[in-house]
Amino acid sequence: MTMRETTTWLRCPAPLTDPDVRLVCFPHAGGSAAMFHSWGGRLPGVEVHAVCYPGRAHRIAEPPPTDLRQLAVQITEALVPLADRPLILFGHSMGAAIALETAVALQERGIEPFHLFASGSRDAPYPGREQLSDPDDLNDAAVVQRLLTLGGTDPELAADPEFQELVLPYVRADGRMFHAYEPGAGPMLRCPVTTIVGDADDDADCRPWSTLTTGTVRAYGVRGDHFYLVAEPPLALLGDCLPAPVRSGP
């Protein structure tokens, strides 16, 4: 994996000369690395990297991903050169599932993630297939309404035809990929997992984290809806789970 390919897959808003830890952030369905741009430099010793999915932002000319596990394997290849420091994975909503599969792929490469944060995801049984909405059953207006219901999308922007023409194809593609994803049975991980869910989030991903890892699982509730982290990133919570030498500082 060349440095150019690594840059294609990851954006680092504030590179550090000698980081103690690297935090890798996985966006939600329809999301991009820009969601985590403001996180860089806000946790001492922590270098933030945001995953860039194909089919959007600077990768808009590429076809969006169709296989979640294959996507995780490709992300893993980009992360291997960064594994000289402990890796903490933070995935929001669909990003939590991609972070899970990436953690599994890292383990298969002999790299143990230090911690996995599953944001917008609660420790609960998987929903039945009949409870999952197929994005191909929704027209454009319904997809836009779904974005507005979840929050995190400006209503005026969502009504813009140019925005819809640009964004809806990869929003739908992400939805198809997530809908087709067959979750694995546990345990799949060895690292600790922390779930974070807004107290007004009725759309949280459901994943039986306590059966998916042999590590500890902690559940945190925060104020807000499915996109609580836009207004208030959970940086303090992340800081509490850093390796002890990083927490204590120099």
Side-chain angles (χ1 to χ4, degrees):
M1 177 72 61
T2 67
M3 182 58 68
R4 182 180 181 279
E5 288 170 318
T6 300
T7 303
T8 298
W9 281 99
L10 300 166
R11 281 289 182 263
C12 181
L16 301 180
T17 302
D18 186 23
D20 296 304
V21 176
R22 290 189 169 105
L23 172 66
V24 184
C25 301
F26 298 74
H28 57 283
S32 72
M35 183 177 194
F36 302 102
H37 182 78
S38 67
W39 291 27
R42 296 178 64 180
L43 286 170
V46 179
E47 186 175 72
V48 176
H49 293 262
V51 175
C52 307
Y53 304 145
R56 69 216 67 196
H58 70 285
R59 305 185 70 180
I60 192 69
E62 301 176 47
T66 58
D67 185 300
L68 191 145
R69 281 194 179 86
Q70 181 57 37
L71 174 62
V73 169
Q74 293 172 313
I75 295 168
T76 298
E77 290 299 314
L79 291 178
V80 169
L82 304 180
D84 60 329
R85 300 291 190 275
L87 296 178
I88 294 175
L89 309 185
F90 180 100
H92 182 67
S93 198
M94 181 188 77
I98 300 174
L100 166 64
E101 292 294 342
T102 301
V104 172
L106 284 168
Q107 287 181 167
E108 291 173 351
R109 296 289 298 265
I111 300 167
E112 296 288 338
F114 182 79
H115 204 110
L116 190 153
F117 287 87
S119 171
S121 181
R122 64 178 82 252
D123 185 14
Y126 292 120
R129 301 298 297 176
E130 70 281 356
Q131 296 174 265
L132 299 175
S133 58
D134 188 335
D136 289 330
D137 292 339
L138 304 176
N139 59 32
D140 286 355
V143 174
V144 170
Q145 185 56 50
R146 176 68 173 160
L147 290 174
L148 295 175
T149 299
L150 286 173
T153 302
D154 179 80
E156 184 175 346
L157 183 62
D160 187 321
E162 291 186 6
F163 170 85
Q164 294 182 21
E165 182 180 1
L166 183 68
V167 171
L168 291 190
Y170 66 76
V171 171
R172 284 185 177 279
D174 285 355
R176 281 193 291 271
M177 177 178 69
F178 200 28
H179 190 268
Y181 169 58
E182 291 290 341
M188 300 168 67
L189 302 178
R190 293 183 285 271
C191 68
V193 173
T194 297
T195 64
I196 311 172
V197 180
D199 57 9
D201 185 358
D202 297 324
D203 296 284
D205 168 61
C206 291
R207 209 154 295 276
W209 294 103
S210 56
T211 70
L212 295 177
T213 183
T214 57
T216 58
V217 176
R218 294 186 294 178
Y220 282 89
V222 296
R223 292 175 300 183
D225 57 18
H226 194 58
F227 284 96
Y228 73 90
L229 69 172
V230 173
E232 193 169 346
L235 297 176
L237 178 56
L238 291 173
D240 288 344
C241 293
L242 293 175
V246 182
R247 285 201 307 270
S248 59

